[in-house]
Amino acid sequence: MNSVSTKDDFFADFSALTALKTKAQKDPDAALKEVAQQFESIFINMMFKTMRATNETIGSDLFSSPQTKQYQDMMDSQMSQSLATTGGIGLSEALIRQYQAQQQGRVSSAEAKERGDTDFLNQVAKQDLVRIQTLANRASTDFIQSVQKEASQSAQSISGDSLVSAPSALSVVFDSPDEFVEYLWPHAQQAGEKLGVNPKAILAQAALETGWGKYPIAKEDGAASFNLFGIKADSRWQGDRAVVNTLEFRDGVAKREKAAFRAYDSFGQSFDDYANFLNSSERYKDALESGDDASMFAASLQQGGYATDPKYSEKIESILSSQWFQSL
């Protein structure tokens, strides 16, 4: 029996990894495909586990027990492997394309190609599984939110009542600045294009307002508001809102006050409303004329009265100079 080609091999198993290295020397293309599919299988399995843990409404808990959960985990694992080997979500194909494109530019000999394939296997074996799980968690959360929204809209059209609750604020907390930047950077880029300003300044402002996503504004029932920019719900706002205690500076003195903030269905909506909010106000005209100058954008926002904190722009600049923004 050929232990190298069995579909149940897992590259974190060092014996299986050794076999894959041997196979990489003889048939690098086949080995590359196997590793990429195993990688995708792990990612899909983490998505399954996270979706089940995040939203109990996905499955019934009526007959829940340690035994049924054990068989459920086995089923998820098998489904993940089957999906990955029959097309999956396209992750394995993307990995193969990316790796092959990199190799075309720097591998010119058989020896270098053999070394490159082996190095690739080593790199995959040492992947940070915590980071992969974080991405899977965020992807599954987005999926669940979209399902919840559609279910809520369908329920309202039938009975006028929402049958699915919004995700909790705790479920959308970011675990680290790295995760915060990686996930929200595409949204910041889109908002930057709409406003014609440096997207780094936008993301830095969101980091300041939410403590790098660790302290999101929550509604009274604990549901997430997805408000990344601390925009308050004044008379112009007709949507949902979250009323919380906030710290405001009055005549240079910090005071605790209760205020209503705008609430959204997703982080994407928060960025969209932020862009509309700035575009619709004459107060932020100078900020929108700052172009690529992130520091000028932050200073103009403060001068326009965006926040009462006298060190608001200074704090944004400090975030802009942090290590997490250097590679953007």
Side-chain angles (χ1 to χ4, degrees), residues 135-150:
L135 294 176
N137 176 65
R138 189 60 57 188
S140 62
T141 299
D142 283 349
F143 170 75
I144 291 168
Q145 290 168 7
S146 65
V147 172
Q148 288 176 327
K149 184 177 180 181
E150 291 179 6

Side-chain angles (χ1 to χ4, degrees), residues 147-218:
V147 172
Q148 288 176 327
K149 184 177 180 181
E150 291 179 6
S152 177
Q153 291 174 343
S154 299
Q156 288 176 348
S157 64
I158 296 174
S159 64
D161 297 322
S162 175
L163 300 179
V164 183
S165 61
S168 69
L170 291 177
S171 70
V172 298
V173 167
F174 290 89
D175 295 328
S176 67
D178 289 303
E179 183 190 351
F180 180 89
V181 170
E182 182 174 12
Y183 183 75
L184 296 180
W185 176 236
H187 292 291
Q189 289 178 299
Q190 292 177 4
E193 290 181 5
K194 292 179 182 179
L195 295 171
V197 301
N198 192 327
K200 291 184 181 181
I202 297 175
L203 189 59
Q205 186 181 5
L208 173 60
E209 290 284 351
T210 63
W212 296 95
K214 288 185 177 293
Y215 309 105
I217 297 175

Side-chain angles (χ1 to χ4, degrees), residues 104-153:
Q104 287 175 0
R106 66 187 182 190
V107 176
S108 57
S109 68
E111 181 181 355
K113 191 174 191 308
E114 178 180 312
R115 184 174 63 254
D117 290 326
T118 304
D119 289 344
F120 175 74
L121 292 173
N122 283 326
Q123 291 171 8
V124 173
K126 296 176 182 177
Q127 284 291 328
D128 184 357
L129 296 184
V130 174
R131 182 173 180 273
I132 296 172
Q133 189 172 28
T134 297
L135 294 176
N137 176 65
R138 189 60 57 188
S140 62
T141 299
D142 283 349
F143 170 75
I144 291 168
Q145 290 168 7
S146 65
V147 172
Q148 288 176 327
K149 184 177 180 181
E150 291 179 6
S152 177
Q153 291 174 343

Side-chain angles (χ1 to χ4, degrees), residues 187 190-191 194 229 267-277:
H187 292 291
Q190 292 177 4
K194 292 179 182 179
F229 298 96
F267 288 127
Q269 285 187 12
S270 180
F271 277 95
D272 289 340
D273 186 57
Y274 170 80
N276 294 332
F277 179 76

